[in-house]
Amino acid sequence: MRKYWRYVLIMTMLVGMVLTLGIGTAQAAKKKSTIKLPAANKATFMLMPELPKDNIGGKQLGYFNLHIKPNQVKTIRIKVYNPTEHTINIYGQVKDATTNDNASVDYLGSHANNQQLLKKPGSRLVTVPKKTSLPAGATKRIAIKVKTNDGFKGTKATAINLSADQFNQKSAVKNAYRYAIGLILNGQQLGKKDYRYLESPSIKTRFTKEGKAAISVKLNNPDPVYLEKAKVKIKLQNQKWGFIQYTTSVKNGKVAPNTSFYVDLLLGGKRLVPGTYDMTLTTKNSQYTKTIHKDVLITASQAKYINGLNAAYLRNRNWILGGLAITLVIIGGIFFRVHQVRKRKRDLHAKNGK
């Protein structure tokens, strides 16, 4: 019986180790994002940027890419056409480009600017009419003015956002469509000695918009340059338990100038283990290659919150617990059976000995 209970104790300790280490598997699904423009018969308006002769990259580029000098005024135009039978109002805004999580550029103003990084936004240099009335079947040119006082180094990334409501004969306003036309302002070239390079000020644990548990590493691009063809690799290794690691990578990303964003290390079915971690962050892009090493802390409260709501981990944990419970029952049954057989043999020998 002592051997039997010893084996049960060993199996119980193994259960505890499995739960502590949080063995699990994660699956990653790649999704392609597409932008659908409204069909011609449903569109509220059509547009075409009239790119100037000195547009950097040529007229085939599809967006404005201008070299800007100090104390300069430039006027660019966007041709708009109303294919509907109604007079429509086109509303104009200027947005500074920001960076989406996991490194893609947003030109629609979906995120707030990081004012510490972008102290002098390019949107302040650009003026667009707030409202343009466009009669049915009419064509107009919307004039956008770019005016600078002082010079600047690097790139200011902005976009002209034009929007209008779609009308339906059977109802009132049905949909609102918005178009973003890139307007990139280039000042003096930024020298290599002026680079501050990619920074990582903090991390946090959270659930993404898709409801996935993640360790999110914040990254800042303090430089007024695009980081294109960006590859980002992040590895977190627990200082106490070296085999506990969380990793992720971004391939062919793009980071807007003077912006911040997060890169998500998705946990999937893994348990988040609290503790101090060695973080290694390597980024390679069209401008430079940089590696950062730093210590980061994941608190017990952070881990408890994430683990308590991470459905994938809870599902894996329940399977593990269920499997181990069944295994313990089977092993216990075997040992009990062996014990009974041995007891019968001892009783038989004792009886025969008499």
Side-chain angles (χ1 to χ4, degrees), residues 72-264:
Q72 185 179 20
V73 177
K74 275 194 174 186
T75 300
I76 54 177
R77 293 174 175 82
I78 298 175
K79 183 187 290 186
V80 292
Y81 166 65
N82 179 7
T84 73
E85 299 177 355
H86 307 276
T87 297
I88 61 175
N89 294 318
I90 299 176
Y91 302 94
Q93 291 180 310
V94 185
K95 298 291 184 179
D96 294 290
T98 56
T99 303
N100 297 314
D101 291 345
N102 303 306
S104 64
V105 179
D106 177 82
Y107 294 99
L108 294 174
S110 304
H111 313 290
N113 293 325
N114 188 327
Q115 296 181 358
Q116 294 180 345
L117 297 176
L118 189 62
K119 296 180 179 179
K120 296 182 179 180
S123 57
R124 295 180 184 177
L125 308 179
V126 183
T127 304
V128 60
K130 293 183 178 180
K131 181 179 177 181
T132 301
S133 182
L134 192 60
T139 299
K140 282 188 178 181
R141 286 174 172 82
I142 297 177
I144 297 101
K145 290 187 178 181
V146 181
K147 183 180 180 181
T148 61
N149 294 322
D150 301 327
F152 61 90
K153 287 186 177 182
T155 299
K156 294 185 182 294
T158 69
I160 307 300
N161 280 216
L162 299 179
S163 62
D165 295 324
Q166 180 191 38
F167 286 87
N168 188 292
Q169 293 180 354
K170 298 181 180 180
S171 63
V173 175
K174 183 178 181 182
N175 291 311
Y177 287 104
R178 181 163 50 159
Y179 302 83
I181 303 95
L183 173 55
I184 313 303
L185 308 178
N186 301 279
Q188 302 173 31
Q189 187 173 359
L190 192 71
K192 292 293 183 181
K193 63 179 181 180
D194 297 321
Y195 279 95
R196 295 166 56 192
Y197 302 102
L198 202 68
E199 304 168 340
S200 178
S202 63
I203 70 167
K204 67 179 180 180
T205 55
R206 65 170 180 172
F207 288 92
T208 65
K209 293 179 180 179
E210 295 78 21
K212 298 179 179 180
I215 306 169
S216 298
V217 178
K218 187 175 184 179
L219 300 180
N220 289 346
N221 177 19
D223 297 312
V225 292
Y226 275 105
L227 303 181
E228 299 186 87
K229 298 180 180 179
K231 296 180 180 179
V232 180
K233 293 183 179 180
I234 303 176
K235 177 182 176 181
L236 294 179
Q237 183 170 0
N238 191 287
Q239 292 183 354
K240 185 177 181 181
W241 306 93
F243 48 86
I244 297 177
Q245 299 177 359
Y246 306 101
T247 62
T248 193
S249 62
V250 174
K251 298 180 180 179
N252 200 30
K254 188 174 183 180
V255 181
N258 301 110
T259 57
S260 62
F261 62 103
Y262 284 94
V263 173
D264 296 317

Side-chain angles (χ1 to χ4, degrees), residues 11 17 51 54 94 99 127 162 220 289 299 302:
M11 292 304 298
M17 289 181 64
L51 302 179
D54 60 349
V94 185
T99 303
T127 304
L162 299 179
N220 289 346
T289 299
T299 66
Q302 288 176 315

